[in-house]
Amino acid sequence: MAAMVSIRVNGVEMSVAADVSVAAALLNAGHTMFRRSVTGAARGPVCGMGTCFECRVTIDGEPGRRSCLEPVREGMRVTIDA
Amino acid sequence: MAVIGGGPAGIAAAAVAAGLGRSVVLLDASPRPGGQIWRHRDRGTLPVGARDWLGRLEASDATVLSGANVVDVAPGFRLGADVQGRAVTVAAGAVVLATGAQELFLPFPGWTLPGVVGVGGAQALLKAGMDVRGKRVAIAGTGPLLLPVAAALARAGADLRMVAEQAPPREVRRFAASLWRTPARLVQAALYRSAFATVRYRWGTWVKRVSERDGALLVTWTTGRSTWAEPADLLCTAAGLVPCTELARLLGCELSGEAVVVDHEQQTSVPGLYAAGEPTGNTGMEAALIEGAIAGFAAAGQGAGARALWPSRARHRDFSRRASEAFRLRPELRARAEPDTIVCRCEDVTLASIAPGWSVREAKLATRAGMGSCQGRVCGPALRHLLGTSADTVRVPVVPTPLGVLAGLTAQRDDSRGAS
Amino acid sequence: MTSRPDAIIVGAGIVGAACAYYLSRGGLRVTVFDEGFAGGGTTAAGMGHIVVMDDSEAQFALTSWSQRLLDDLLPAMPRAAEYERCGTLWVAEDDEQLDAARGKRTYYRDRGVETELLDARQLGEAEPQLRPGLAGGLRVPADGVVYPPAVTRWLLDQAIHLGATVREGVAVEGVAPRAVLTGAGRLEADCIINAAGAGAPRLTPGLPIVPRKGHLVITDRAPGFSRHQVIELGYLRSAHTMSAASVAFNVQPRITGQLLVGSSRELVGWDASLNRDVLGRMLERACSFMPGLAALPALRTWTGFRPATPDKLPLIGAWPSVDGLWIAAGHEGLGITTALGTGSMLTDLILGRPPAIDPAPYAADRVMAEAH
Ligand SMILES: Cc1cc2nc3c(=O)[nH]c(=O)nc-3n(C[C@H](O)[C@H](O)[C@H](O)COP(=O)(O)OP(=O)(O)OC[C@H]3O[C@@H](n4cnc5c(N)ncnc54)[C@H](O)[C@@H]3O)c2cc1C
Ligand SMILES: Cc1cc2nc3c(=O)[nH]c(=O)nc-3n(C[C@H](O)[C@H](O)[C@H](O)COP(=O)(O)OP(=O)(O)OC[C@H]3O[C@@H](n4cnc5c(N)ncnc54)[C@H](O)[C@@H]3O)c2cc1C
Ligand code: FES
């Protein structure tokens, strides 16, 4: 069993594998939409490598972080669009 | 010497130059070195060759900065990096650009739906821990990259439904036949194929459109003659790779098409600036290793070491050329976007709002296309393929950077200048 | 070439576009040339702050009158013009600057411009992202922002509707009495208007205009971060030093929720390259006033060239040494604001009508006359 960490996504606590990216953790938790586009359409990760900026979320209060490049950390607070 | 990018090309350049006694710093945006192909969480899962190179890099005296986005290179090779929210500057005598490639995404109706990801994108997400067990997955793309991605998804437990190669069967067959020149690649391809042996693998097939139905994707496939729809949870689709040349363009390197022009020693048109791997248009891990090593030798002033590698580089260039001919994009892929299809995903700009004759700057000022976070990384190459639009000017920061970090980068420059 | 127009305008920046609009409305047949594309010069690089300024009586007259003209046109403008009456908030760092704000308030009140003096607490309420400890500020509610390339396009479209011709991608190589020379041939007209912005002296040697470089940075969307165009009162000092490079805190909320962060001023000729020292100082100054800016992703930086004159006023009027030549250039950092007043005034002068405000302070040959 891999080590786990706990993160909060929109206030909801969840336990995720310690060695995954924030994007992978969100997808595995069933979130396919990470953000709303400027016209309000649902968007999720595309490139997985930092190019497309579709996976942007707010991490510990900092907006615009690319979740595919960001490893999860214990206690991390992630905010995605509703 | 500074190496930008920690894929095979960057690792080879850094390890070789450090081995020759150069003071080397490698900056890579990813959490750990490896680049696209050797992206990993557990090194034990990597092939031996990859582990060897990562070991060589570690054993060398090269300094590795991971999570380091190089966002500026000022004249005189003064690099500015955002290292996990810290402003770090590096002054180098020579620079190797080993920034790799990104996928080419050509717009089609439905391409912006969540669940539609890249081919390499799916692989990258998988390597970062995405769970695909039991998910209905379809792949539509082109070129040698399809096979390893299909194999990886199948091994990870995906319910793989379809692997579609856009190139016509005639071209794929001819390319496969030419692989006898590089038997290792033939074996590799066969191994990949065996990993998803029961899955449909169709040539001359591509995605026409995608919609949403019952909380899943409905993918409309076509061969040009017949068209049908199938459901999927994840559609992995792209139209091949394009070199990442933002830093090269910022520094004013000469480009040929989308690739950076280099000489025998991997040096660009800017003296002291080298490029290796995908940015030069020479695709694949083996080519990246060789070009990286040549750049490492050359930047360290060891021309002889570099020369010994020229013949094998030539073989890989030949392979790249054959691959790009065989997997040329069919015109139908460009014709899929409809007037109301979004082309710029950051700003939600539709195809119809962009006049075909516009320069990229005109399109941008009139529609905001390319003004968003990705700064035209996705819509730029797409518009180039759809409308022939030229590439936009690259500006600092090369990737969006917290304003405070950008301020710190330029302010630190003040200090270093004062000190020198 | 096509039939003879009444007026030829060189330059389709916002100033040339405003001239085209008012001249067309005045019944003239206009042809506009631009070597690039409409609104692609300094107009594309500017901030788009519509601001009433009190540097001099003449500057106040032109800025406030232009603002009234804009108010008249706004209902007809498309959404793309991105107009928003966000107001200007002038920030005083200390009591000395607050005194200056009081002076500004009196000046504006005497001339019918509404303002609101804010103490330290009210300032914090108006712009919560400002750092604590500032002395106060002055709010000018009627100021606003636009998206300059879209306004330019709209003005030209109206002119085209009234019969004007706009020729983009055609450079004017020379200006002769009542004629211009282009790569596509010679074209005659009763009046020629040089509205080539910072490039105007290339066609009319002797025009006292130099390019004054500025840097700007655009951030990712951060809706609600700031509500006003927020500028330090020290900006005026920066805008006035003509010699050394200077920076000032100047932040503008775009309708998209993005923030445009400025500003800098340098005299370095036509060198468009990024000056990292200036950029760093500019951003540090911005972050010192609004610490929260530091976390916002910066998407892009760029530079632009303000067409600067020695006395900070634009050149609007006849250029006596060339028959039929008129000038509408040299708007420095205020051309987005003052384009409409310029176009309207120039049209009145050309048609022999009395302009709404006294044109004398802007006379194109004033500086030349002084030099003699
Ligand atoms: C998503 C994707 C998946 C791929 N999968 C495969 C595969 O399975 N098999 C295969 O044979 N080939 C694959 N390829 C092709 C692969 O790119 C090459 O085979 C090989 O990895 C090229 O090595 P490289 O060193 O040139 O570039 P890369 O391996 O791409 O390495 C480039 C590195 O540079 C970093 N970088 C880029 N810009 C900056 C910057 N400004 N600052 C700091 N760091 C930066 C990147 O984060 C990355 O780590 C894939 C390509 C992509 C885009
Ligand atoms: C950083 C910055 C911030 C600014 N912020 C503001 C602000 O907030 N508010 C404000 O009011 N103002 C602002 N300004 C000032 C404003 O942008 C300018 O005053 C205004 O855009 C000038 O307009 P213009 O039409 O005279 O010049 P331009 O927009 O430069 O237009 C001149 C046109 O002439 C064309 N041209 C030149 N030579 C020739 C030729 N030989 N033949 C054919 N065409 C030619 C060019 O291609 C160009 O399109 C700012 C400027 C800068 C640089
Ligand atoms: S998925 Fe494209 S940037 Fe993260």
Side-chain angles (χ1 to χ4, degrees):
Chain A
M1 187 70 201
M4 306 294 277
V5 294
S6 116
I7 64 171
R8 281 177 166 278
V9 178
N10 289 0
V12 179
E13 183 144 352
M14 58 181 72
S15 180
V16 302
D19 61 352
V20 304
S21 69
V22 174
L26 290 169
L27 289 169
N28 295 349
H31 296 287
T32 52
M33 186 196 91
F34 286 30
R35 62 176 210 102
R36 294 240 171 235
S37 75
V38 299
T39 61
R43 296 286 165 78
V46 178
C47 72
M49 55 172 277
T51 306
C52 73
F53 287 76
E54 288 286 28
C55 67
R56 275 173 289 156
V57 299
T58 299
I59 295 180
D60 293 333
E62 203 179 310
R65 304 298 304 180
R66 285 168 287 172
S67 58
C68 67
L69 295 183
E70 205 90 32
V72 294
R73 279 187 312 273
E74 177 64 38
M76 187 182 250
R77 284 171 299 119
V78 181
T79 313
I80 61 177
D81 287 345
Chain B
M1 174 177 143
V3 178
I4 307 175
I11 291 172
V16 165
L20 294 168
R22 292 293 132 146
S23 151
V24 177
V25 53
L26 183 149
L27 301 101
D28 184 41
S30 306
R32 55 185 79 81
Q36 299 311 334
I37 183 162
W38 296 340
R39 187 186 289 274
H40 62 284
R41 286 175 292 150
D42 172 1
R43 195 181 292 183
T45 60
L46 288 177
V48 182
R51 276 180 280 163
D52 283 353
W53 274 105
L54 288 167
R56 261 185 86 173
L57 178 67
E58 267 167 16
S60 78
D61 289 328
T63 307
V64 176
L65 291 177
S66 288
N69 280 287
V70 177
V71 300
D72 181 23
V73 180
F77 298 147
R78 293 179 305 158
L79 281 61
D82 171 3
V83 186
Q84 293 159 359
R86 274 181 310 123
V88 172
T89 57
V90 173
V95 172
V96 179
L97 296 174
T99 48
Q102 63 168 73
E103 287 188 280
L104 172 63
F105 298 110
L106 294 183
F108 57 85
W111 74 304
T112 57
L113 290 170
V116 180
V117 303
V119 176
Q123 189 192 39
L125 289 164
L126 192 64
K127 289 178 176 176
M130 175 174 69
D131 185 357
V132 291
R133 280 173 300 174
K135 290 227 170 89
R136 292 168 298 176
V137 178
I139 304 178
T142 192
L145 180 58
L146 283 186
L147 298 184
V149 177
L153 284 161
R155 287 195 202 107
D159 173 7
L160 197 56
R161 297 293 180 94
M162 161 84 100
V163 179
E165 162 63 59
Q166 59 90 33
R170 173 174 30 89
E171 294 289 339
V172 184
R173 257 183 237 116
R174 206 165 51 176
F175 177 74
S178 77
L179 283 181
W180 62 264
R181 280 183 252 185
T182 47
R185 289 188 199 271
L186 204 56
V187 173
Q188 187 61 268
L191 280 176
Y192 285 142
R193 179 63 179 124
S194 69
F196 62 102
T198 58
V199 179
R200 274 178 299 165
Y201 174 33
R202 304 184 58 144
W203 297 336
T205 303
W206 64 97
V207 172
K208 202 175 150 83
R209 55 165 54 244
V210 182
S211 55
E212 224 168 1
R213 205 181 60 181
D214 307 333
L217 300 170
L218 186 66
V219 184
T220 303
W221 297 95
T222 185
T223 59
R225 258 159 303 160
S226 61
T227 298
W228 69 100
E230 287 175 29
D233 299 311
L234 191 68
L235 171 66
C236 316
T237 185
L241 300 177
V242 274
C244 291
T245 55
E246 285 79 18
L247 287 170
R249 284 186 279 145
L250 180 73
L251 286 160
C253 292
E254 189 190 329
L255 262 61
S256 161
E258 286 166 333
V260 181
V261 175
V262 290
D263 65 11
H264 281 308
E265 305 208 303
Q266 301 295 134
Q267 188 165 214
T268 69
S269 61
V270 176
L273 183 64
Y274 299 78
E278 299 283 346
T280 69
N282 200 356
T283 60
M285 179 261 288
E286 293 86 352
L289 282 172
I290 290 160
E291 292 202 349
I294 293 174
F297 279 118
Q302 299 281 328
R307 255 188 300 280
L309 295 169
W310 288 359
S312 93
R313 177 178 60 192
R315 273 197 304 281
H316 288 294
R317 283 197 178 148
D318 181 51
F319 174 81
S320 287
R321 190 185 44 74
R322 275 183 286 128
S324 66
E325 275 167 18
F327 299 105
R328 219 182 356 235
L329 296 180
R330 56 172 62 244
E332 292 96 321
L333 293 180
R334 304 191 174 104
R336 294 177 299 176
E338 290 172 1
D340 65 347
T341 302
I342 282 169
V343 288
C344 167
R345 305 174 63 119
C346 293
E347 297 292 328
D348 283 357
V349 179
T350 60
L351 180 62
S353 57
I354 297 181
W358 275 345
S359 70
V360 67
R361 204 165 155 260
E362 244 171 315
K364 185 163 124 169
L365 290 174
T367 68
R368 299 190 56 84
M371 276 197 178
S373 289
C374 91
Q375 285 288 298
R377 276 182 176 71
V378 176
C379 67
L383 287 175
R384 197 146 65 237
H385 281 267
L386 262 51
L387 303 174
T389 317
S390 60
D392 193 11
T393 322
V394 177
R395 301 256 186 245
V396 174
V398 166
V399 277
T401 308
L403 204 100
V405 175
L406 191 58
L409 283 176
T410 31
Q412 281 186 20
R413 281 221 172 78
D414 269 339
D415 299 346
S416 64
R417 180 177 294 175
S420 65
Chain C
M1 273 186 133
T2 44
S3 64
R4 191 178 195 275
D6 300 317
I8 294 170
I9 301 174
V10 187
I14 196 164
V15 172
C19 293
Y21 172 72
Y22 285 106
L23 284 169
S24 299
R25 266 190 27 179
L28 267 59
R29 277 167 39 85
V30 176
T31 294
V32 187
F33 288 100
D34 199 294
E35 62 186 356
F37 61 90
T42 301
T43 297
M47 258 187 155
H49 186 201
I50 303 294
V51 55
V52 172
M53 293 289 275
D54 60 352
D55 279 3
S56 61
E57 284 298 340
Q59 201 190 50
F60 177 83
L62 188 59
T63 52
S64 61
W65 181 46
S66 294
Q67 203 178 56
R68 247 172 288 148
L69 292 172
L70 178 65
D71 283 343
D72 292 343
L73 296 184
L74 278 176
M77 278 195 199
R79 232 189 97 74
E82 293 187 2
Y83 178 77
E84 200 170 26
R85 196 179 298 274
C86 58
T88 305
L89 191 57
W90 295 93
V91 177
E93 272 191 278
D94 49 32
D95 289 338
E96 195 188 326
Q97 288 187 358
L98 197 56
D99 274 344
R102 287 198 189 92
K104 217 172 163 60
R105 172 182 163 76
T106 312
Y107 184 94
Y108 280 10
R109 192 190 44 213
D110 292 350
R111 287 159 186 79
V113 176
E114 186 199 336
T115 63
E116 206 181 321
L117 198 66
L118 308 180
D119 63 18
R121 187 184 51 81
Q122 291 164 322
L123 180 69
E125 281 166 11
E127 284 294 338
Q129 294 286 347
L130 281 170
R131 71 160 193 258
L134 295 164
L138 185 74
R139 172 154 51 193
V140 188
D143 288 350
V145 301
V146 295
Y147 181 53
V151 173
T152 304
R153 191 77 256 173
W154 182 81
L155 288 166
L156 289 172
D157 285 346
Q158 305 314 298
I160 290 169
H161 195 68
L162 294 167
T165 305
V166 179
R167 306 200 47 191
E168 296 169 82
V170 181
V172 171
E173 285 151 10
V175 170
R178 301 192 188 277
V180 297
L181 304 163
T182 75
R186 182 187 157 93
L187 187 65
E188 296 183 354
D190 291 339
C191 40
I192 311 298
I193 295 133
N194 183 344
R202 278 189 294 156
L203 292 175
T204 310
L207 275 183
I209 297 176
V210 291
R212 200 170 181 202
K213 180 160 126 181
H215 291 75
L216 286 179
V217 178
I218 187 85
T219 72
D220 208 345
R221 288 169 167 81
F225 185 91
S226 130
R227 300 171 205 144
H228 306 83
Q229 173 119 13
V230 193
I231 314 180
E232 62 170 308
L233 274 157
Y235 169 87
L236 302 171
R237 208 184 326 113
S238 150
H240 290 178
T241 27
M242 261 318 245
S243 50
S246 63
V247 299
F249 163 62
N250 185 348
V251 164
Q252 174 183 88
R254 301 297 313 169
I255 214 165
T256 54
Q258 294 174 285
L259 295 159
L260 205 44
V261 182
S263 61
S264 73
R265 283 180 152 80
E266 281 173 273
L267 288 171
V268 287
W270 288 98
D271 172 11
S273 68
L274 193 66
N275 183 333
R276 282 146 178 106
D277 297 335
V278 169
L279 178 71
R281 281 200 284 139
M282 178 179 106
L283 294 179
E284 281 188 337
R285 188 135 191 97
C287 293
S288 82
F289 276 87
M290 283 191 160
L293 279 174
L296 298 185
L299 295 188
R300 198 175 174 91
T301 57
W302 65 87
T303 58
F305 295 106
R306 302 176 184 91
T309 63
D311 64 358
K312 287 115 204 157
L313 288 174
L315 309 171
I316 309 167
W319 187 252
S321 54
V322 181
D323 190 25
L325 179 60
W326 301 78
I327 309 295
H331 294 70
E332 217 271 351
L334 282 172
I336 310 303
T337 304
T338 53
L340 294 182
T342 300
S344 170
M345 181 186 297
L346 192 81
T347 300
D348 287 339
L349 292 172
I350 287 174
L351 296 179
R353 304 187 299 213
I357 60 171
D358 177 13
Y362 322 98
D365 57 347
R366 67 182 186 276
V367 193
M368 195 176 66
E370 273 166 27
H372 283 298

